[in-house]
Amino acid sequence: MTSGGLARVVIVGAGFGGLTAARALAEAPVRVTLIDRRNYHTFQPLLYQVATAGLSPGEIAAPIRSILRSQRNTEVLMAEVQGFDLDRRMVKTDAAEIPYDYLMVAAGASHAYFGHDEWEPLAPGLKTIEDALEIRRRVFLAFELAERQVSAGGDAPPLNFVIVGAGPTGVELAGTLAEICHHALTHEFRSIDPSRAHILLLEGGPRVLAAYPDDLSHSAMEQLQRLGVDVRTATMVSRIEPGAVHFGDTRLEAAVILWAAGVAASDLGKKLGAPTDRAGRVMVQPNLSIPGHPEVFVIGDLAALKDAHGAMLPGVAQVAIQQGNFAAKLICQNLESGTPVDARFHYWNKGSLATIGRAAAVAEFGKIHISGFLAWLAWLFVHIFFLIGFRNRILVFIQWAFSYFTYERGARLITGSTSLPGWSSASSPEAKSGPQENRSSAAD
Ligand SMILES: Cc1cc2nc3c(=O)[nH]c(=O)nc-3n(C[C@H](O)[C@H](O)[C@H](O)COP(=O)(O)OP(=O)(O)OC[C@H]3O[C@@H](n4cnc5c(N)ncnc54)[C@H](O)[C@@H]3O)c2cc1C
């Protein structure tokens, strides 16, 4: 034992998995150290709302220290974990080495560009608050640059917004962008017509929301089209350059390109020395520990585990939450019995929900499939219920009620740089020549 007779449990990552595990250990006779590179927990399912100016960052995130303030056995450290020494039972951070008796790694995942990392600055993905703010900046800046250009006598630029990948994130981004163009911005510009913007959702596979049953996937496609999204399935992106995307024989100029196509596990997984799958997820044992180390657990998006039917568990919040609870309980049982207890993790699928836009969503609860307004209501209430912090729940509820009736998206702040990849400086009011022919020549 590392500290005063109490076992020390070190948890890496205060996302859904790590935070749940820390809370589940609140009454346990252990000392908990929760490490995260950020000082806040992000409610990732609502990141797209920040990216599309429906909510502000503080409404979907909460300080980890404040969430756990009354949990006396838990300390929170803000540090970057860089590796592990499993023999010495040490976590290596950018600040110090931290000893543990039990280790739980819940470092999540980030984007995968399938070998094209150079596309990342041109087509940002959505995983963190910073990503959401960058997407928000690009989306609303595109309208401002277009207005400025036309107001200065230039041609109206093609306002194409391209989203690559029609999983839940791509679908919610596309649907909400369509809503913004057709409703939220309609009366605010004098020189351009935002409703003429073109929202294009590109999907390499044969259908949108591929993880959902056929009927819901079909319904999602129809709901997207009703919202004005141009959906192209079986369409692979072959190249992205500043301000343009290539697919098939087409090169399309795009004011904003967003990436929602691939997920790669945190590289901390590989540093544990355990086997990993192609996405870098750690292939854990049925009790979520890694081979040869019953004291080391990997949970959430970083863990690869199959269910009883042989299907890989999805990278969703419920899996991470249930695994956090399971691993915390198992640590307590191991401590009580003094030896590793035999146990298996079983995932209880409570259902899946994906939102598409205003009054548009799909939901699957076992054999019950619903879509449209009812599914959207279910989505709203589930997300408010699971949002961390009473303050955030109230704020989000008020914001959503307000924007439902007014179509208003109040957090439309453009912060940071005022240039877009591929948006030529020749398009600016100062430029003498027409904007269109130069659009793809300059980079950010
Ligand atoms: C845009 C988006 C929308 C989503 N929508 C839904 C949805 O509607 N429903 C649903 O069920 N799921 C959804 N998900 C998936 C869900 O958010 C994840 O499955 C879940 O967050 C996984 O939890 P986790 O604890 O494994 O990792 P995360 O929640 O990603 O947490 C990982 C934590 O580890 C920290 N960390 C990472 N590396 C280090 C390091 N080296 N040092 C220190 N700290 C580190 C990070 O800062 C982070 O706090 C969505 C995900 C995204 C990105």
Side-chain angles (χ1 to χ4, degrees), residues 195-385:
S195 69
R196 297 185 62 188
H198 182 198
I199 315 296
L200 189 65
L201 180 60
L202 303 179
E203 166 58 46
R207 59 195 182 96
V208 304
L209 295 183
Y212 282 72
D214 270 348
D215 58 327
L216 291 181
S217 170
H218 187 70
S219 164
M221 177 88 161
E222 284 177 353
Q223 295 182 67
L224 280 164
Q225 286 165 342
R226 261 201 304 276
L227 286 165
V229 178
D230 178 358
V231 187
R232 313 258 181 106
T233 51
T235 303
M236 297 294 280
V237 167
S238 53
R239 189 173 155 209
I240 296 178
E241 60 183 274
V245 56
H246 296 243
F247 48 94
D249 297 332
T250 307
R251 173 187 180 277
L252 183 79
E253 287 193 17
V256 176
I257 308 166
L258 304 177
W259 186 259
V263 171
S266 154
D267 57 9
L268 281 187
K270 295 206 173 72
K271 297 188 177 165
L272 285 165
T276 52
D277 68 5
R278 276 178 54 210
R281 293 177 301 181
V282 179
M283 292 158 74
V284 294
Q285 314 219 77
N287 71 356
L288 307 180
S289 69
I290 62 172
H293 288 277
E295 76 288 0
V296 178
F297 299 88
V298 180
I299 62 169
D301 282 5
L302 186 54
L305 183 67
K306 289 184 175 162
D307 67 13
H309 309 291
M312 195 58 83
L313 292 178
V316 296
Q318 272 304 320
V319 170
I321 289 170
Q322 291 178 29
Q323 290 185 338
N325 275 319
F326 174 90
K329 202 164 144 201
L330 190 55
I331 287 175
C332 294
Q333 289 171 343
N334 286 349
L335 279 169
E336 220 171 274
S337 79
T339 138
V341 171
D342 191 24
R344 294 181 82 85
F345 172 75
H346 294 286
Y347 173 51
W348 177 28
N349 185 352
K350 297 180 182 168
S352 316
L353 292 146
T355 184
I356 297 161
R358 184 187 176 80
V362 292
E364 179 196 14
F365 302 106
K367 290 201 170 104
I368 302 170
H369 297 177
I370 47 176
S371 38
F373 185 68
L374 262 188
W376 183 68
L377 272 188
W379 182 91
L380 287 187
F381 283 105
V382 165
H383 284 76
I384 286 188
F385 181 78

Side-chain angles (χ1 to χ4, degrees), residues 14-292:
F16 283 106
L19 192 57
T20 303
R23 286 166 139 184
L25 290 168
E27 304 300 328
V30 293
R31 184 180 156 203
V32 180
T33 300
L34 178 58
I35 310 174
D36 201 291
R37 53 158 72 117
R38 318 247 182 243
N39 75 331
Y40 55 85
H41 163 85
T42 307
F43 191 80
Q44 291 175 6
L46 293 185
L47 273 173
Y48 86 97
Q49 286 273 343
V50 174
T52 54
L55 295 172
S56 295
E59 290 158 356
I60 68 150
I64 303 163
R65 203 169 283 294
S66 138
I67 300 169
L68 297 171
R69 65 180 174 275
S70 49
Q71 197 164 311
R72 306 302 304 172
N73 68 346
T74 303
E75 70 173 341
V76 176
L77 294 181
M78 184 176 144
E80 175 82 29
V81 172
Q82 294 171 332
F84 310 95
D85 185 334
L86 298 190
D87 295 333
R88 289 169 52 236
R89 296 194 177 185
M90 289 285 178
V91 175
K92 299 178 189 170
T93 77
D94 53 351
E97 287 196 331
I98 298 166
Y100 64 83
D101 297 301
Y102 288 94
L103 172 64
M104 212 183 293
V105 187
S110 98
H111 323 290
Y113 284 81
F114 308 123
H116 288 283
D117 288 352
E118 72 278 10
W119 292 352
E120 187 167 9
L122 308 176
L126 181 60
K127 185 71 194 171
T128 63
I129 296 273
E130 286 88 344
D131 295 335
L133 293 177
E134 175 58 12
I135 291 174
R136 184 179 82 179
R137 183 188 77 80
R138 291 187 189 207
V139 166
F140 293 100
L141 184 59
F143 291 105
E144 295 300 336
L145 293 181
E147 174 83 351
R148 194 170 79 176
Q149 181 172 309
V150 178
S151 160
D155 293 335
L159 272 178
N160 294 324
F161 294 80
V162 178
I163 298 110
V164 186
T169 301
V171 163
E172 63 198 8
L173 279 171
T176 315
L177 284 179
E179 193 187 316
I180 289 174
C181 300
H182 295 121
H183 297 290
L185 300 182
T186 40
H187 302 296
E188 301 197 358
F189 290 85
R190 301 293 170 258
S191 302
I192 60 160
D193 178 2
S195 69
R196 297 185 62 188
H198 182 198
I199 315 296
L200 189 65
L201 180 60
L202 303 179
E203 166 58 46
R207 59 195 182 96
V208 304
L209 295 183
Y212 282 72
D214 270 348
D215 58 327
L216 291 181
S217 170
H218 187 70
S219 164
M221 177 88 161
E222 284 177 353
Q223 295 182 67
L224 280 164
Q225 286 165 342
R226 261 201 304 276
L227 286 165
V229 178
D230 178 358
V231 187
R232 313 258 181 106
T233 51
T235 303
M236 297 294 280
V237 167
S238 53
R239 189 173 155 209
I240 296 178
E241 60 183 274
V245 56
H246 296 243
F247 48 94
D249 297 332
T250 307
R251 173 187 180 277
L252 183 79
E253 287 193 17
V256 176
I257 308 166
L258 304 177
W259 186 259
V263 171
S266 154
D267 57 9
L268 281 187
K270 295 206 173 72
K271 297 188 177 165
L272 285 165
T276 52
D277 68 5
R278 276 178 54 210
R281 293 177 301 181
V282 179
M283 292 158 74
V284 294
Q285 314 219 77
N287 71 356
L288 307 180
S289 69
I290 62 172

